[in-house]
Amino acid sequence: MPSPADSITLDMILRDVEAAKVALDDNWWRLCNLYMIQAPDGKPINFFPTAIQKRMYYQRRWRNILLKGRGVRSTSFWCMLALDMALFRPGSSIAIVGHDQERMEKTFFDYIRFPYDNMRAPIYRVAPYDNSPGSKKELLLSNRSRIVVDTNLASGNFQYILSTEFGIMSVDDPDKAARFQRDALAALRDPYAWFTMESTSGGPVGLFRQYCETARSVTAQIKSGKRARDPRDLNFMFFPWYEDPTKTRATPYELTKEQDQYFAKLTADQHITLSDQQKWWYAQTEKEEQNVGGMHRHALHMKMNYPSTPEEAFESMQEGCVWAKEILVAEQQGRIGEFLYDPRYLVNTAWDIGGDGTVIWFFQTVGNAIHFIDCNMVFKDPSYGLASHLDDLRQKPWAKRYGYHLAPHDIQNHQYNLGQTNKEFARQRGVVFGKVPKAENKLIDSIESGRMFLARCMFDKNRCGGALDWMRLYRLK
C-alpha cells in the first residue's frame, strides 16, 4: 500500500528535516532503508525485504503463528522488526527465544548485533548501546530498550516475544516447550504486546502443531466473518514454496513418474496449478535433497523444507526414526484411510504399558491383512491406571466381540498399589493377557519383524492418526 515515505531516499533525510520526520515515522521505510546484514563474504549489504517478507509485514497481527519452509528468511525479517522496535519505541523489552544455544548466538550476531553496528549513518546515533559490544545475547540501549536472545525466556514483562524454531523444540524437548508456553503467556500480560512464533514443523506432533491448527481455525473464522478479531487471537501465516518468485528453473529438468503424480494430485485436490519452470525447480531440488538425505528420506524432507500445503509440512521424517518410511509407504499405498469396525471379525488388542503412558491398539485380522480400527493413548496421567483402561475396553462398540489381548513381558511385574501383578488384576476383571516375549536383539528381532508386519497393516486415519504421528518419531533409545 502506498506511503508518503515511498519516494524519500536516505540522502533526502540528511538534507530535509521534514522528509526525515516523514520517513523515520514510517516503520516500513525504516526496514527498507536503515539496516544492513552480512553477505556471505562477510561484508555488509543493504537489507531489503523480499516479496514474501513484505507479505509477512502486511499480514502480521498481534499474535502470529508462522509455519515456514526453507528459504523464506523469516527469522531475519522478524529480528529486524525487533531491532527496529527497540530503536524507535523507547523502553521496549524484547525476547527472542530458540532451541539451540549456538544457533541463538549466531542469530543474535547476524540479525541484531551486526545490523545495529552497521546501521546506515547518521541514524546510528538514535540510541547508542550501553552494554559491552562483546555480549553474545543481549543488546541494551540508552533509550531503555533491550533485546535478549537466549534458549530460555527470561522473567519479566515483554512488549515483543519472538520464538524461532519452536516446532523443533516441541518435538525434541516437549517439557521445555511446555515451560516456554507457560512463561510466554505469563510475560504477555498486555493484550497488545507482540508475539510471533515462526518455525518449520519439526515433526508431525507437538505443541507447535497444536498452535498451527488453532491459529488456522481462528484465522479462517475471522476471514469468513464468523468471528470478530481480538488482539489476542492467533493469526496463522503460511507461504508455500511456489509463491516465492525465485523458486523456478529456466531450463527443462526431467520429472519422475512420482513427481508427475504429485503435481497432478496438487491440481486435483488443492487446485494448485504450477508452471513448468516451477516443476523443474522442484524436481531438481528434490534430487539434491535425495543426494544429501538418501533415497528413503528425500520425499518427506521436501515436504518439510518446501511444503505445498500446511498438512505436508507435518509429514516430515527425522533422523533415526524407525517407522517413518513404513508409514509413508502405507500412505502411498492407500493403507491409511477409512478402516472401520467390521462385526464379522473379533477385535484384538495390543498394549504398551510404560511409566510415562499407555497405548492400546485395537485391530481385526481380515484375511492376511491387519486392520487397526482404533487406538487409545494416555500420557503422563497418574490418575489413569490399569482399572481405567479396562473400563475403556468395556465402553467400546465391540465390547462383546474381543478376541485376544497382547501385552509386553513386564505385564507380570508386581504392582504394590494393586497387591498383585497387572496380569492377575486384569484377569479378575475379564481380560486375559497373552505375553509378547522380550526380544533378545531389539534391532534385529523387534524392528525387522515390525517392518514386515507393518506391510500387512491398514489403519483408520481418524481413530489412529494421532498414534501414527507418534510412530513417525519413534527412535531407539
Side-chain angles (χ1 to χ4, degrees):
M1 52 189 68
S3 164
D6 288 347
S7 60
I8 299 176
T9 65
L10 187 64
D11 291 338
M12 290 173 62
I13 72 169
L14 303 180
R15 304 188 306 267
D16 188 332
V17 175
E18 289 302 316
K21 185 178 185 306
V22 172
L24 295 179
D25 281 345
D26 190 303
N27 186 202
W28 179 249
W29 187 93
R30 298 196 304 265
L31 286 174
C32 296
N33 291 275
L34 296 188
Y35 304 109
M36 307 190 84
I37 56 176
Q38 193 173 28
D41 61 4
K43 296 179 181 178
I45 57 173
N46 292 346
F47 171 77
F48 192 83
T50 65
I52 295 294
Q53 289 172 335
K54 185 174 183 179
R55 290 174 60 192
M56 288 182 203
Y57 179 83
Y58 285 108
Q59 290 182 23
R60 79 196 196 285
R61 299 291 184 266
W62 297 104
R63 305 282 194 270
N64 303 292
I65 305 297
L66 170 61
L67 174 59
K68 68 177 184 179
R70 183 186 293 178
V72 175
R73 295 171 56 190
S74 61
T75 302
S76 62
F77 169 76
W78 295 106
C79 284
M80 289 299 172
L81 276 179
L83 177 59
D84 186 78
M85 177 185 289
L87 290 168
F88 289 91
R89 295 189 185 183
S92 293
S93 185
I94 300 166
I96 302 175
V97 183
H99 72 291
D100 178 78
Q101 185 65 46
E102 183 178 347
R103 187 181 189 128
M104 295 315 295
E105 289 180 2
K106 188 176 188 305
T107 296
F108 177 77
F109 176 80
D110 289 348
Y111 304 133
I112 300 296
R113 181 93 255 171
F114 188 91
Y116 179 78
D117 288 341
N118 292 276
M119 283 182 66
R120 303 174 72 183
I123 311 305
Y124 181 93
R125 296 189 293 273
V126 167
Y129 60 87
D130 288 341
N131 64 318
S132 166
S135 174
K136 294 183 178 180
K137 67 176 185 180
E138 188 170 27
L139 180 68
L140 300 175
L141 303 176
S142 60
N143 66 355
R144 298 173 289 105
S145 289
R146 66 167 180 152
I147 301 176
V148 180
V149 181
D150 209 344
T151 56
N152 293 290
L153 186 61
S155 59
N157 293 333
F158 293 92
Q159 284 73 50
Y160 181 29
I161 294 177
L162 169 61
S163 170
T164 179
E165 292 300 356
F166 183 76
I168 296 175
M169 182 195 298
S170 65
V171 170
D172 287 352
D173 194 341
D175 291 337
K176 183 178 180 179
R179 289 195 302 272
F180 171 81
Q181 180 188 43
R182 178 199 64 206
D183 295 342
L185 292 174
L188 290 167
R189 294 187 176 92
D190 182 352
Y192 291 96
W194 290 87
F195 173 74
T196 296
M197 182 179 285
E198 57 96 28
S199 181
T200 51
S201 68
V205 296
L207 274 175
F208 183 61
R209 181 169 189 172
Q210 295 176 27
Y211 270 109
C212 287
E213 290 174 349
T214 300
R216 285 186 74 184
S217 175
V218 170
T219 303
Q221 291 175 41
I222 292 171
K223 287 183 177 180
S224 66
K226 297 179 180 179
R227 176 177 180 146
R229 186 182 299 281
D230 183 271
R232 292 162 294 187
D233 284 337
L234 295 179
N235 175 52
F236 182 73
M237 288 192 284
F238 171 72
F239 303 98
W241 66 270
Y242 57 82
E243 291 184 357
D244 184 342
T246 67
K247 289 182 170 56
T248 59
R249 174 187 165 94
T251 56
Y253 194 93
E254 185 176 358
L255 307 183
T256 66
K257 177 182 177 182
E258 290 77 15
Q259 288 165 346
D260 273 329
Q261 293 173 342
Y262 170 69
F263 296 137
K265 185 173 177 61
L266 282 181
T267 302
D269 296 350
Q270 305 293 334
H271 308 292
I272 296 171
T273 303
L274 304 175
S275 67
D276 288 339
Q277 290 76 15
Q278 289 174 313
K279 294 177 181 178
W280 297 336
W281 177 90
Y282 190 94
Q284 180 187 13
T285 305
E286 185 170 22
K287 179 65 175 178
E288 293 169 354
E289 290 279 321
Q290 177 180 318
N291 291 339
V292 173
M295 289 292 293
H296 67 285
R297 290 171 44 214
H298 69 280
L300 287 178
H301 275 215
M302 279 297 292
K303 290 184 176 182
M304 180 177 74
N305 292 331
Y306 305 104
S308 298
T309 66
E311 290 78 12
E312 276 192 7
F314 290 101
E315 295 178 21
S316 60
M317 184 194 305
Q318 294 191 308
E319 290 289 344
C321 294
V322 175
W323 309 117
K325 179 185 176 183
E326 282 67 31
I327 296 173
L328 172 63
V329 172
E331 289 178 325
Q332 293 172 338
Q333 295 179 348
R335 291 188 286 111
I336 299 177
E338 187 175 88
F339 294 93
L340 305 177
Y341 166 59
D342 188 333
R344 294 176 298 172
Y345 304 96
L346 296 176
V347 176
N348 309 305
T349 68
W351 297 54
D352 184 5
I353 303 172
D356 56 353
T358 296
V359 178
I360 307 171
W361 290 94
F362 299 82
F363 63 95
Q364 296 180 289
T365 302
V366 182
N368 191 46
I370 309 296
H371 289 200
F372 284 89
I373 59 173
D374 200 358
C375 185
N376 284 8
M377 297 189 297
V378 177
F379 295 121
K380 295 183 178 180
D381 185 352
S383 67
Y384 217 93
L386 181 57
S388 299
H389 291 296
L390 295 172
D391 287 341
D392 288 344
L393 263 63
R394 289 190 284 270
Q395 302 303 316
K396 297 294 184 180
W398 47 82
K400 296 182 179 180
R401 293 283 294 161
Y402 282 114
Y404 56 84
H405 304 275
L406 300 176
H409 65 279
D410 51 9
I411 190 67
Q412 298 187 102
N413 290 352
H414 188 81
Q415 300 297 316
Y416 291 99
N417 61 322
L418 299 177
Q420 57 192 153
T421 67
N422 280 328
K423 186 173 184 179
E424 292 167 344
F425 182 83
R427 183 189 295 273
Q428 292 174 1
R429 285 155 181 79
V431 174
V432 179
F433 280 114
K435 184 178 70 172
V436 177
K438 183 177 182 179
E440 294 298 324
N441 187 313
K442 191 169 188 178
L443 178 60
I444 296 175
D445 296 341
S446 296
I447 303 302
E448 293 307 316
S449 296
R451 285 173 173 158
M452 290 188 289
F453 175 74
L454 283 172
R456 302 167 50 202
C457 295
M458 322 288 177
F459 298 90
D460 186 78
K461 186 173 184 178
N462 291 330
R463 292 182 173 272
C464 301
L468 290 174
D469 286 341
W470 282 108
M471 281 184 64
R472 294 180 200 271
L473 295 178
Y474 176 74
R475 294 181 174 97
L476 289 176
K477 297 180 180 178

